[in-house]
Structures are given as structure tokens and as C-alpha cells.
Amino acid sequence: YQTDYLDPATVVAPGASASNVSRLYAGAKEVALIDKYKADLGIPLFDRTVSWGWFWFIAQPIFHLLSWLFKLTGNFGVAIICLTLIVRAALYPIANRQYASMAKMRLVQPKMKELQERYKDDKPRQQQEIMALYKKEGVNPLAGCLPIFLQIPIFFALYKVLILAIEMRHQPFVLWIKDLSAPDPLHVLNLFGLLPFTPPSFLGIGVLALLLGVTMFLQFRLNPTAMDPMQQQIFALMPWVMMFVMAPFAAGLLIYWITSNILTIAQQKYLYSKHPQLKAQAAADADRAAQAKT
């Protein structure tokens, strides 16, 4: 590597003298060391030499929290699971409102179906009546998207932490997962390492990717059934599409997402236990969807 550096020009008057000090840091970007240099020497933004990305203000606290959890637990995978629990706990009030809105959505779906049948030849009137129904019942159809959108910056920041922070490299979890910053090494297409070849990254479906697809599928099954057949098909395919998309990503990211899905499923089950009518409505939705397919 070659790095060229040019100081600004300095004019030295006759008989005078001038001095200039330049500092060069050549080494691993260890966050604690960089923070120490920034504090001791007063170098502005020196901590940004680790390129945390757009969400640096989230990535840096996540790194320090993960480091603390790692020291506490002694296992980086367990630290990621604990981080997921903390994130879900912080988002619980929002998620609780989301599930309350989902509960109302399930209860008003028969009325929505009736309006769609009544005004099937008048789409503007149909949309107007459905919006009036939402307002009357206090339902926000977009409420379920908010927790997902809030987790996107956290997920991206965690991705940056796993990829960039040298402290996170080669940290093992359990069994075959020896490096949480690398993809799952066991793939379905090579019989989990029994065959001597490595599939292309987009086909490298490992155990973690399978778990991601299954947990997302179970999570989507607990959501309100979409009324539009096209939306039903999209939601049916999305878990398996995400399984292929996420397979090449770091194993630590998949563990974060799988844990988040499991917590979401548990939270939805708890909601059903509090509102038995929701479970009955979900079963009715599933029966209607099955009948529509046949």
C-alpha cells in the first residue's frame, strides 16, 4: 500500500523558524485504542476511522454493549442473543401497540370482506368504506410495520459491527459455528460438509438460514391473513426468499434475526392467550385462505 500525504505550505521569514508535527497511525483499528488516542491527543472524529456507516450513532453503542455483554457471558453468540433481548425489550411498548392493532385487524376482517363483496364493482367507494371502517374501529393498518422499520437501523448497525470491528473476528458460538463474523459453514447442498465442494453464496443455505426461513414462516402464519390473493402469495414466499438472501451473511446476524423471530412468535402467542377470539379468528382466516386456493 502507498499513502501520499502533503502538508500545507508554510512560509518561513528570514531569520525565523517554524515547526510542524504530523502523526501517523498504522495498525489495527482497535476501538479502545483509537478512543484512547482521540481522548489523549484531542483528535477530532478519530473514532470515525472505523467506518461504521450511516448509522454510526447506533453502531458505536451496539459495539460497546456487545463488548460488555461478551465480557459478562464469555460467549459472543450469547452476547448477540442478550442484545436481541435488550432490543426487543426496548421496542416492547411499540410492539405491544402493533399487536393490539393486529388484534383489531383480525376482528374487523369479516366486515372488510363484506365491504369488498358489496362494493367489488366500485373500487373508490370500497376504499372509502374500508378507511371509514378503520377509523370507526380505531385500526391502523400500518402499525405492524413500525417495529420492523425501527429494527432496520439496528440490524444494519450490527452488520457493520460484525464486519468491521476486529474485536469481533473469529469469535465462536457453539458446535460448528467457529466465526460469527463469517457465514454459516455448513450447507445443505454439500450435505453439511460431507461433500468436498462449496456451493455459490446465493445457494449456500446452511442450518441458520433454514432456521431463519422456518421461524419467519411461523411468524407470518400468526399475522392477519391478507385479503388480496397476490399479497397472500407474496407473504407465503417472503420467508423462503429471505432465507436465500440472508444465507451469505454473517452467522451472528442470522442468530440475531432468528432470536428476534422466536421472541415475536412468543409475544404473539401471549397475545392470543389474552384474547382467545383472536386465535379463533386466525383459524377462520386460515380456513378461508385454504378454501380460496381450492
Side-chain angles (χ1 to χ4, degrees):
Y1 294 91
Q2 176 179 327
T3 300
D4 298 323
Y5 174 71
L6 182 65
D7 261 333
T10 302
V11 178
V12 182
S17 63
S19 63
N20 184 47
V21 177
S22 297
R23 295 185 175 91
L24 173 68
Y25 178 84
K29 295 180 181 179
E30 297 178 4
V31 175
L33 183 60
I34 288 175
D35 287 345
K36 182 178 183 300
Y37 279 129
K38 177 186 177 182
D40 293 347
L41 302 177
I43 306 173
L45 303 179
F46 192 54
D47 55 330
R48 303 283 186 86
T49 54
V50 180
S51 181
W52 299 111
W54 293 347
F55 300 107
W56 60 268
F57 52 91
I58 301 176
Q60 285 182 327
I62 283 180
F63 169 81
H64 291 295
L65 179 57
L66 271 176
S67 298
W68 179 76
L69 291 171
F70 174 62
K71 293 176 182 177
L72 194 65
T73 62
N75 186 295
F76 191 58
V78 176
I80 291 177
I81 293 173
C82 292
L83 172 69
T84 313
L85 291 170
I86 292 171
V87 170
R88 296 295 301 189
L91 295 178
Y92 177 77
I94 298 172
N96 201 34
R97 287 196 294 270
Q98 171 204 2
Y99 295 132
S101 178
M102 286 171 54
K104 292 180 180 179
M105 278 290 290
R106 282 200 181 277
L107 295 177
V108 302
Q109 276 188 352
K111 297 180 181 179
M112 289 175 54
K113 185 69 174 178
E114 181 183 345
L115 291 173
Q116 288 177 334
E117 291 294 332
R118 183 185 304 173
Y119 302 106
K120 61 182 178 182
D121 298 325
D122 188 355
K123 294 296 182 182
R125 178 67 183 279
Q126 181 189 109
Q127 290 299 321
Q128 184 180 356
E129 292 295 331
I130 289 176
M131 293 306 295
L133 177 65
Y134 286 159
K135 186 176 181 180
K136 178 183 177 182
E137 301 290 342
V139 173
N140 181 5
L142 299 179
C145 302
L146 184 58
I148 297 174
F149 286 132
L150 288 176
Q151 286 200 70
I152 289 175
I154 298 171
F155 185 81
F156 184 76
L158 180 60
Y159 166 77
K160 282 292 189 180
V161 168
L162 289 170
I163 296 300
L164 295 175
I166 194 171
E167 294 87 345
M168 308 303 175
R169 298 291 177 88
H170 308 298
Q171 292 289 352
F173 182 34
V174 292
L175 300 176
W176 72 95
I177 303 175
K178 306 300 183 184
D179 185 359
L180 285 162
S181 65
D184 188 346
L186 297 188
H187 302 142
V188 174
L189 292 183
N190 65 6
L191 299 181
F192 305 108
L194 294 178
L195 300 179
F197 85 98
T198 301
S201 59
F202 67 95
L203 292 177
I205 306 299
V207 176
L208 293 178
L210 286 172
L211 288 174
L212 176 65
V214 170
T215 54
M216 188 174 289
F217 171 75
L218 295 175
Q219 178 185 344
F220 278 18
R221 287 197 64 180
L222 293 175
N223 290 339
T225 304
M227 304 299 289
D228 184 11
M230 181 60 70
Q231 291 182 4
Q232 291 179 15
Q233 294 178 8
I234 292 173
F235 286 131
L237 289 174
M238 190 176 293
W240 316 116
V241 171
M242 292 303 299
M243 179 181 71
F244 280 94
V245 171
M246 294 301 301
F249 281 64
L253 286 174
L254 272 67
I255 290 174
Y256 172 84
W257 202 332
I258 291 167
T259 306
S260 181
N261 288 345
I262 292 172
L263 292 173
T264 301
I265 293 169
Q267 196 167 11
Q268 288 174 313
K269 290 287 188 182
Y270 173 70
L271 178 68
Y272 287 159
S273 68
K274 290 180 62 177
H275 304 280
Q277 69 275 20
L278 289 179
K279 190 172 184 179
Q281 185 64 42
D285 291 343
D287 290 340
R288 281 199 299 270
Q291 291 174 3
K293 290 180 182 179
T294 56

